[in-house]
Amino acid sequence: MKSFGIIIILLLTFSCSEKQTDLRIVEFEKELGKKETKSLNSLVSDFERNLRNIYPDLPIQKCYEKYLTDMTSELTTDWEKFEFQSDKTNSEFHQSGLWNEIYEVNYFQKPGSQDSIKSLNINRIGKYMRAIYAVKDSDSLLKKYWDKRDAAGLMQNELVINGILSSKPDFNDYFHKRIVVVEFSF
């Protein structure tokens, strides 16, 4: 009878943690929007398809890690292997409005000139940042990511990658995957 009680407690604990995860995803997707979520899911699918092509013998968790370490390796020379968006997904990324919810373009006038300089920045008030904010307190990587992205905006690949990897990500996690994909989806 005692072991039956332990099994019930374990099942309830597992069930509650599963529901918490589902609720986080529901909250994130609600904040992000349906068409934006669909576009982000397509980006993740393209990204993982590319990972399987680049690293066919590795499990997906290791593929993400290898991708990130290869991005900052001095030995990497084949930069085209990191391009993962299909034309269809890239089009959906822009047409869904997701790109505009993640990034914004600013133009600055050069002093004494008619020319302007184009600058890419994060959209700090877009749906993506609001969606991350809605769930950031549920995970240490999400919290750290939101804090750094809000404070610094776009960062060099090496800083982003070191920050992600130092947080010991779980690339089976819905959110950890999306952070990596967004960071490499210009």
Side-chain angles (χ1 to χ4, degrees), residues 117-173:
I117 299 170
K118 184 178 177 180
S119 172
L120 180 66
N121 297 300
I122 66 156
N123 182 348
R124 285 187 167 86
I125 59 171
K127 289 181 182 180
Y128 177 70
M129 285 296 283
R130 292 194 317 253
I132 292 290
Y133 182 82
V135 296
K136 71 179 175 65
D137 292 329
S138 66
D139 180 281
S140 61
L141 176 58
L142 285 170
K143 173 98 171 101
K144 183 178 177 181
Y145 174 71
W146 189 90
D147 288 344
K148 299 295 183 200
R149 191 165 168 67
D150 185 53
L154 286 178
M155 295 177 279
Q156 294 174 325
N157 285 349
E158 190 171 337
L159 293 174
V160 171
I161 290 168
N162 289 340
I164 291 170
L165 292 176
S166 71
S167 296
K168 300 191 181 3
D170 173 4
F171 292 119
N172 294 311
D173 182 86

Side-chain angles (χ1 to χ4, degrees), residues 39 85-97:
S39 178
Q85 291 181 30
S86 68
D87 291 339
K88 179 183 175 193
T89 303
N90 184 273
S91 178
E92 182 182 349
F93 184 32
H94 290 274
Q95 290 177 356
S96 70

Side-chain angles (χ1 to χ4, degrees), residues 14-175:
F14 178 73
S15 174
C16 289
S17 66
E18 188 103 358
K19 287 180 183 175
Q20 179 189 10
T21 301
D22 290 345
L23 291 177
R24 291 183 324 144
I25 294 169
V26 167
E27 182 65 25
F28 176 83
E29 291 180 354
K30 181 178 127 190
E31 195 67 44
L32 188 59
K34 284 184 181 180
K35 62 185 179 198
E36 293 87 351
T37 296
K38 182 177 180 257
S39 178
L40 183 53
N41 291 342
S42 294
L43 288 170
V44 171
S45 293
D46 277 6
F47 187 81
E48 289 188 351
R49 191 174 306 111
N50 190 52
L51 288 179
R52 286 186 186 95
N53 287 335
I54 301 171
Y55 314 111
D57 298 328
L58 296 177
I60 201 68
Q61 170 85 12
K62 293 293 181 191
C63 288
Y64 274 84
E65 291 171 11
K66 181 80 170 128
Y67 180 92
L68 293 174
T69 55
D70 283 355
M71 285 281 292
T72 57
S73 172
E74 292 179 11
L75 302 175
T76 300
T77 56
D78 180 14
W79 295 102
E80 288 181 17
K81 75 179 183 179
F82 297 115
E83 296 174 13
F84 63 91
Q85 291 181 30
S86 68
D87 291 339
K88 179 183 175 193
T89 303
N90 184 273
S91 178
E92 182 182 349
F93 184 32
H94 290 274
Q95 290 177 356
S96 70
L98 179 60
W99 191 95
N100 292 323
E101 295 298 339
I102 298 172
Y103 305 106
E104 64 183 12
V105 176
N106 296 315
Y107 295 92
F108 300 97
Q109 194 73 31
K110 283 185 179 179
S113 173
Q114 295 290 41
D115 295 334
S116 61
I117 299 170
K118 184 178 177 180
S119 172
L120 180 66
N121 297 300
I122 66 156
N123 182 348
R124 285 187 167 86
I125 59 171
K127 289 181 182 180
Y128 177 70
M129 285 296 283
R130 292 194 317 253
I132 292 290
Y133 182 82
V135 296
K136 71 179 175 65
D137 292 329
S138 66
D139 180 281
S140 61
L141 176 58
L142 285 170
K143 173 98 171 101
K144 183 178 177 181
Y145 174 71
W146 189 90
D147 288 344
K148 299 295 183 200
R149 191 165 168 67
D150 185 53
L154 286 178
M155 295 177 279
Q156 294 174 325
N157 285 349
E158 190 171 337
L159 293 174
V160 171
I161 290 168
N162 289 340
I164 291 170
L165 292 176
S166 71
S167 296
K168 300 191 181 3
D170 173 4
F171 292 119
N172 294 311
D173 182 86
Y174 174 92
F175 297 103

